[in-house]
Amino acid sequence: MGAVDGCRTTDDDGSVPAGRIPEPAERIPAPAGRVQLRPAARRFIAYGKELLRGEWLRIVAGPAREFRRRGVPGVALGILVVLAVIVVHELIRTRTGAVAIRLTGEVRGDLPLPLVLLRTPVSLVLTDPGLPVWAGLPKLFLAFALAELVLGRTRTLLIACATSLAGTLGARAMIALGHGPLGLPPETAHVLDTGPSAAVAGLFAYLAVVRRAPVLALLTTAVIVVPSVLRPNLAGREHLLAVGLALVLGVAASVRSRQTDAKSAAAVAG
């Protein structure tokens, strides 16, 4: 027989008889230690998972499929840029090579603008000889290889050159302003340009916009922009300018792509 309090409420084993809805006090409690999340928190977690999943597909899975389809030629630009950086870094350690690289690739704020424009392509693979080159090669390869798989070789080169040149020209303007919140000291004009780092920052920022990748945008901001703000110098200012131009170009490309898709959809519907 079950327990009796005026009427039968449970069977002999303590379970609720079939056919009767248990009172709230009789409902089975949640397992001990299990946190009951609020609906808003569950929606936020679901949104975060969907966001990460979408970014994984656009930034990792999609380019990986493209790499399997195209093979090594699909990342040829990334390989060539890395090899060029290594060759230039070794050449500049020799007397003859240092002279040749200085005459063809060194960019500074005190040089005439036409000469700066001519040297910009070589300056993309010219790193600071006083810094270790090997540590930055994985990031360099990833930026150019990923951009080549997503954007194509031509647009990758255009974005890299444009963002690097934006940093260089912007720094020249800041040097002309002199001391001040937006200016740079005159002696900065004798400092060697940033080399490939501005192009890497610009490529990552552009990819973050056109591929709708907020996590990549956050990482770009944390790794490149924040140090540039905390320690303002020539390289930091050039990185900020490169990222700024890349964001503008990325937004413009995204708007143009949406307009093209809308026109195509309207043409199909019509």
Side-chain angles (χ1 to χ4, degrees):
M1 296 293 294
V4 177
D5 276 332
C7 63
R8 186 180 181 196
T9 59
T10 61
D11 288 334
D12 292 337
D13 59 357
S15 62
V16 178
R20 189 178 67 81
I21 299 176
E23 296 297 328
E26 295 176 293
R27 296 184 188 275
I28 300 174
R34 184 174 179 179
V35 179
Q36 296 296 317
L37 298 175
R38 296 178 180 271
R42 288 198 296 270
R43 289 194 296 271
F44 178 78
I45 293 175
Y47 173 77
K49 290 180 178 179
E50 186 64 25
L51 184 69
L52 291 175
R53 178 179 177 275
E55 186 158 346
W56 172 268
L57 293 175
R58 291 188 293 270
I59 294 297
V60 180
R65 286 195 301 269
E66 185 67 14
F67 175 71
R68 287 195 297 268
R69 186 182 70 85
R70 298 170 57 186
V72 175
V75 294
L77 182 60
I79 296 174
L80 289 175
V81 169
V82 169
L83 291 177
V85 168
I86 295 174
V87 169
V88 169
H89 183 73
E90 292 302 318
L91 282 177
I92 206 169
R93 299 162 69 90
T94 66
R95 180 176 302 178
T96 304
V99 174
I101 297 301
R102 187 176 68 251
L103 295 176
T104 59
E106 277 195 5
V107 171
R108 300 187 308 273
D110 57 354
L111 295 176
L113 183 57
L115 191 59
V116 169
L117 297 177
L118 287 175
R119 292 183 177 183
T120 294
V122 179
S123 72
L124 286 176
V125 294
L126 175 59
T127 59
D128 189 339
L131 297 176
V133 68
W134 302 102
L137 292 182
K139 183 170 62 176
L140 178 67
F141 172 77
L142 181 60
F144 276 87
L146 182 60
E148 185 177 5
L149 290 170
V150 173
L151 308 174
R153 193 168 300 164
T154 301
R155 185 152 54 137
T156 297
L157 283 174
L158 289 176
I159 296 299
C161 290
T163 53
S164 180
L165 191 58
T168 299
L169 297 181
R172 290 173 67 92
M174 292 179 183
I175 292 171
L177 291 175
H179 293 280
L182 296 179
L184 288 170
E187 58 269 19
T188 311
H190 309 298
V191 177
L192 188 65
D193 210 342
T194 56
S197 58
V200 169
L203 286 173
F204 277 131
Y206 186 87
L207 285 170
V209 175
V210 298
R211 301 298 284 183
R212 303 187 306 279
V215 176
L216 178 60
L218 182 62
L219 290 176
T220 301
T221 302
V223 174
I224 297 174
V225 176
V226 172
S228 301
V229 173
L230 295 179
R231 298 182 61 185
N233 53 25
L234 177 63
R237 296 289 181 87
E238 291 189 350
H239 292 162
L240 290 175
L241 292 167
V243 170
L245 177 63
L247 294 177
V248 172
L249 294 176
V251 171
S254 299
V255 171
R256 185 169 60 251
S257 177
R258 284 195 295 268
Q259 291 175 346
T260 302
D261 293 342
K263 291 180 181 178
S264 300
V268 171

